[in-house]
């Protein structure tokens, strides 16, 4: 039996633990509140700067093209900060709800404007109860209904949906009854799921900044402020964050990942600095795997190796990468119970030789009048490497065991031939020779390049990761830069969602619209139903002809 003293100590410890937990929640809520206040102040200050610049232009006129670019930069910065403030406000409210002493910070917003009267309206009537929920009486009198207007987007036109919730009063007990308001994707329920999905998809899927979308909406007769649109983007990202976490868990459970990164300009004070978008792709289809593919993107303000180490903390599978030194620590002994297996990209190695025979690129980059040089030695290396890629094309999609058998039989002799050729050729060349440098790229990590001969799951190239970063490269020409670190983090999460939808042959806009329509009302235990591959399977069951 447990003594009374021990029992009392256990009760006391539990009480002290409860107090510590409450204090931790209060501290977390206070930090979130301060974070929300600071984000709101930053958005307000930027809004004032934007208004000041607009008034200067209105009073003095546009003095130069540079001033127009400055105004565009201020608008993009304000867009990001407004989304930051909205996201921080909602996260602060979530943290405050876990306590009883911290009051959440609520942003002061401008008075909501009515939608234009000439927009078509569609009423969705939620009927009032026929019996009083309080006493069961049917002696009810109708009162004026509560009408909520939500802007929704339909193809080629806009409409305002009026949700009318009828209200009744009981003559017996004088209680007023009304159906509950429907769930909304974002607070205040001003916009419908299709409108919001299109807003996010245009920004992150088609790379249209919010100021461009605002101008288009105004041209269509829908005057909405940049502040309102940025506010909705922040709220959308908070709503879909749980879905991203499910994607992340699925992606990092892979036996093999592709990894890559690309630059993204970050607007900083008086300059534009270079930030990074990292992506990790799970795609088991080349070796016959049945797991759905996933693209995970992360943002960082620089390219230090600590970022991929944080992204892949605990991961011990195969990582397909280029020769970037920041990945090196991931493959060292002692990192985890088992270090990752490195698989280098042969496309990068081939590219070093191809540059020496690509006449068109040499003509572009060489000084005027300089003759292009075609290296016979580089052509020999390309011929050998291309034979490896020809074998890979034939076994793409085959089971890992079959791929491994073919590689050991056909690819291993070619790799041995290339290794011998490199050793003999490099011994005859100066270390400054271009071909010698291309050979050194392979030889300096030959084990990483030959890993594919021992594992049929490994691909010869890292193209799966590079393909997912093409959207970022296209977007750089449209939105020029991200306005803040938080904006980069939001962009990375949305790139992950839309990229995963495309990898699973799912229409990103149709899927994201349904996600926003259902995510506020779906239980946490069923959230996996909204993952792109599960959503696609459900749609095919509902509409058999889609599968056909």
């Amino acid at each position: 039996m447990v003594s009374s003293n021990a029992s009392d100590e256990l009760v006391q410890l539990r009480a002290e633990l409860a107090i510590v937990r409450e204090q931790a929640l209060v501290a977390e809520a206070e930090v979130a509140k301060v974070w929300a206040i600071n984000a709101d102040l930053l958005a307000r200050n930027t809004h004032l700067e934007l208004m000041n610049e607009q008034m200067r232009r209105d009073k003095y006129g546009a003095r130069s093209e540079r001033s127009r670019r400055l105004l565009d930069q201020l608008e993009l910065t304000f867009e990001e900060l407004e989304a930051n403030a909205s996201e921080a406000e909602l996260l602060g409210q979530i943290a405050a709800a876990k306590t009883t002493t911290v009051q959440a910070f609520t942003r002061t917003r401008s008075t909501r404007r009515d939608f234009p009267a000439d927009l078509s309206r569609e009423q969705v009537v939620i009927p009032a109860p026929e019996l009083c929920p309080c006493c069961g009486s049917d002696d009810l009198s109708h009162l004026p209904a509560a009408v909520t207007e939500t802007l929704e987007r339909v193809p080629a036109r806009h409409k305002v949906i009026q949700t009318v919730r009828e209200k009744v009063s009981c003559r017996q007990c004088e209680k007023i009854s009304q159906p509950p308001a429907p769930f909304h994707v974002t607070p205040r329920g001003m916009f419908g799921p299709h409108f919001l999905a299109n807003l996010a998809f245009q920004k992150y899927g088609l790379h249209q900044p919010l100021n461009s979308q605002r101008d288009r909406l105004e041209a269509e007769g829908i005057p909405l402020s940049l502040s309102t649109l940025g506010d909705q983007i922040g709220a959308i990202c908070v709503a879909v964050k749980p879905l991203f976490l499910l994607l992340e868990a699925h992606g990092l459970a892979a036996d093999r990942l592709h990894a890559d990164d690309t630059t993204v300009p970050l607007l900083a004070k008086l300059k534009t600095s270079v930030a990074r978008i990292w992506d990790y792709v799970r795609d088991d289809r080349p070796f016959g795997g049945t797991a759905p593919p996933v693209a995970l993107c992360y943002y960082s303000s620089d390219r230090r190796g600590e970022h991929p180490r944080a992204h892949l903390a605990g991961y011990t599978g195969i990582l397909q990468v280029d020769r970037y030194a920041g990945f090196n620590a991931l493959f060292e002994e002692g990192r985890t119970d088992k270090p990752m297996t490195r698989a280098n990209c042969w496309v990068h190695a081939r590219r070093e030789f191809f540059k020496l025979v690509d006449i068109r690129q040499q003509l572009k980059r060489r000084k005027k009048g300089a003759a292009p040089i075609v290296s016979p030695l580089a052509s020999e290396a390309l011929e050998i490497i291309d034979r490896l890629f020809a074998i890979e094309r034939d076994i793409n999609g085959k089971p890992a065991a079959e791929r491994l058998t073919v590689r050991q039989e056909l690819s291993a002799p070619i790799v041995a031939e290339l290794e011998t050729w490199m050793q003999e050729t490099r011994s005859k060349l100066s270390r400054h020779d271009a071909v010698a440098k291309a050979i050194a790229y392979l030889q300096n990590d030959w084990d990483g390049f030959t890993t594919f001969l021992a594992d049929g799951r490994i691909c010869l190239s890292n193209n799966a990761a590079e393909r997912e970063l093409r959207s970022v490269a296209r977007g750089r020409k449209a939105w020029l830069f991200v306005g803040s670190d938080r904006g980069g983090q939001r962009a990375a999460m949305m790139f992950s969602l839309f990229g995963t939808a495309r990898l699973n042959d799912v229409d990103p806009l149709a899927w994201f619209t349904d996600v926003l329509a259902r995510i506020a009302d779906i239980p946490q235990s069923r959230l996996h139903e909204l993952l792109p591959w599960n959503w696609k399977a459900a749609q095919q069951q509902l509409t058999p002809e889609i599968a056909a």
Side-chain angles (χ1 to χ4, degrees):
M1 293 181 62
V2 180
S3 66
S4 60
N5 291 337
S7 178
D8 293 341
E9 289 179 2
L10 182 60
V11 171
Q12 184 179 358
L13 288 174
R14 287 177 176 173
E16 291 175 353
L17 179 60
I19 293 174
V20 171
R21 286 177 175 172
E22 177 64 21
Q23 291 174 345
L25 290 175
V26 169
E28 181 184 352
E30 292 287 359
V31 170
K33 182 177 180 179
V34 172
W35 185 18
I37 293 173
N38 289 340
D40 181 63
L41 290 175
L42 286 173
R44 287 174 178 273
N45 289 340
T46 306
H47 189 209
L48 292 175
E49 292 178 7
L50 177 59
M51 292 174 62
N52 184 43
E53 183 62 23
Q54 288 174 335
M55 287 188 292
R56 285 176 179 273
R57 287 178 60 83
D58 291 339
K59 183 175 181 178
Y60 300 110
R63 294 184 298 276
S64 66
E65 183 64 21
R66 180 181 178 278
S67 64
R68 176 65 255 177
R69 291 198 299 270
L70 175 61
L71 190 60
D72 288 341
Q73 289 179 356
L74 285 172
E75 287 185 332
L76 287 170
T77 303
F78 174 60
E79 161 196 327
E80 296 284 7
L81 293 177
E82 184 70 20
N84 287 353
S86 175
E87 183 180 4
E89 178 190 14
L90 292 176
L91 293 174
Q93 290 174 357
I94 294 172
K98 299 177 182 178
T99 72
T100 57
T101 58
V102 179
Q103 184 176 359
F105 170 75
T106 302
R107 300 182 64 205
T108 302
R109 291 177 171 82
S110 58
T111 305
R112 173 173 167 172
R113 293 186 297 179
D114 293 331
F115 295 114
D118 57 347
L119 279 181
S120 63
R121 277 161 168 78
E122 172 184 329
Q123 283 197 344
V124 177
V125 179
I126 302 177
E130 297 180 357
L131 300 176
C132 176
C134 181
C135 66
S137 171
D138 61 352
D139 188 12
L140 305 176
S141 60
H142 283 262
L143 301 176
V147 180
T148 303
E149 291 193 338
T150 302
L151 183 65
E152 179 58 290
R153 179 179 175 84
V154 295
R157 66 187 182 95
H158 289 85
K159 66 179 180 180
V160 176
I161 297 178
Q162 294 181 330
T163 301
V164 181
R165 294 184 292 126
E166 294 184 343
K167 188 186 302 183
V168 294
S169 174
C170 178
R171 292 192 179 96
Q172 297 292 331
C173 64
E174 298 183 353
K175 295 290 185 180
I176 296 176
S177 302
Q178 185 182 35
F183 285 102
H184 294 290
V185 185
T186 58
R188 295 169 293 282
M190 190 176 176
F191 301 95
H194 197 287
F195 180 92
L196 293 172
N198 188 76
L199 184 73
F201 181 66
Q202 289 284 336
K203 177 175 172 62
Y204 297 111
L206 301 179
H207 316 296
Q208 293 297 310
L210 291 186
N211 60 343
S212 298
Q213 296 192 57
R214 176 205 57 191
D215 296 341
R216 176 177 52 78
L217 287 169
E218 188 171 352
E220 295 174 0
I222 314 293
L224 293 172
S225 68
L226 194 62
S227 172
T228 299
L229 298 180
D231 188 43
Q232 298 305 306
I233 289 294
I236 289 170
C237 290
V238 171
V240 300
K241 181 65 178 292
L243 194 61
F244 169 76
L245 295 178
L246 285 183
L247 288 180
E248 184 180 48
H250 176 76
L252 297 180
D255 293 333
R256 186 204 63 172
L257 286 175
H258 293 268
D260 201 4
D261 69 290
T262 191
T263 59
V264 55
L266 169 65
L267 185 63
K269 189 173 183 180
L270 303 178
K271 65 175 183 178
T272 300
S273 60
V274 179
R276 290 278 162 174
I277 294 289
W278 306 79
D279 79 322
Y280 305 92
V281 177
R282 174 180 186 173
D283 191 351
D284 299 346
R285 293 173 294 184
F287 59 86
T290 58
V294 168
L296 298 175
C297 294
Y298 299 92
Y299 165 87
S300 68
S301 57
D302 52 55
R303 205 193 185 194
R304 293 200 300 268
E306 65 189 48
H307 301 299
R309 290 197 294 271
H311 302 155
L312 301 175
Y315 182 73
T316 57
I318 301 167
L319 191 65
Q320 301 220 211
V321 293
D322 54 25
R323 290 287 311 283
Y324 167 52
F327 291 121
N328 291 346
L330 298 174
F331 309 103
E332 295 175 354
E333 294 289 344
R335 170 186 167 267
T336 58
D337 294 338
K338 177 185 176 184
M340 294 186 203
T341 300
R342 180 167 195 155
N344 288 332
C345 176
W346 279 80
V347 169
H348 283 78
R350 182 185 184 279
R351 192 175 297 157
E352 299 300 315
F353 293 104
F354 185 74
K355 291 176 184 177
L356 304 178
V357 299
D358 187 0
I359 296 178
R360 185 177 61 179
Q361 289 298 322
Q362 290 189 43
L363 289 174
K364 286 182 179 180
R365 296 177 180 178
R366 285 180 175 272
K367 294 181 180 180
K368 187 176 180 180
I373 299 174
V374 178
S375 170
L377 293 175
S379 298
E380 288 183 39
L382 286 175
E383 186 275 329
I384 298 173
I385 294 174
D386 286 346
R387 281 152 52 194
L388 289 176
F389 279 98
I391 295 172
E392 291 299 311
R393 283 192 289 271
D394 292 337
I395 62 176
N396 186 46
K398 301 292 180 65
E402 182 178 341
R403 286 158 59 93
L404 180 59
T405 301
V406 172
R407 286 172 175 173
Q408 291 176 342
E409 179 181 349
L410 301 179
S411 300
I414 298 176
V415 171
E417 176 188 349
L418 178 62
E419 183 178 16
T420 302
W421 178 89
M422 289 192 300
Q423 291 172 351
E424 295 175 352
T425 304
R426 190 177 182 183
S427 64
K428 303 174 184 177
L429 300 174
S430 165
R431 62 190 179 91
H432 299 293
D433 187 90
V435 175
K437 292 179 180 179
I439 292 174
Y441 184 90
L442 276 161
Q443 288 183 328
N444 289 345
D445 191 9
W446 186 240
D447 290 340
F449 282 104
T450 57
T451 312
F452 80 103
L453 295 175
D455 196 322
R457 296 170 297 179
I458 297 175
C459 286
L460 207 59
S461 75
N462 199 32
N463 287 346
E466 292 195 356
R467 281 194 296 268
E468 288 307 307
L469 290 177
R470 287 178 184 172
S471 62
V472 181
R474 288 195 298 267
R476 285 196 296 256
K477 297 181 179 180
W479 34 258
L480 304 181
F481 51 78
V482 293
S484 66
D485 289 335
R486 292 295 302 280
Q489 292 164 6
R490 279 194 300 273
M493 182 176 71
M494 300 306 289
F495 291 155
S496 302
L497 294 172
F498 293 134
T500 299
R502 290 191 178 102
L503 280 176
N504 288 274
D505 296 323
V506 171
D507 179 357
L509 181 56
W511 166 72
F512 202 62
T513 300
D514 196 43
V515 166
L516 294 183
R518 297 168 56 192
I519 197 167
D521 197 24
I522 195 169
Q524 187 74 18
S525 60
R526 294 177 52 200
L527 189 60
H528 64 277
E529 296 177 8
L530 299 182
L531 293 171
W533 52 90
N534 293 333
W535 182 86
K536 179 181 179 181
Q539 294 296 310
Q540 290 176 339
Q541 289 179 357
L542 292 174
T543 313
E545 58 268 20
I546 294 180

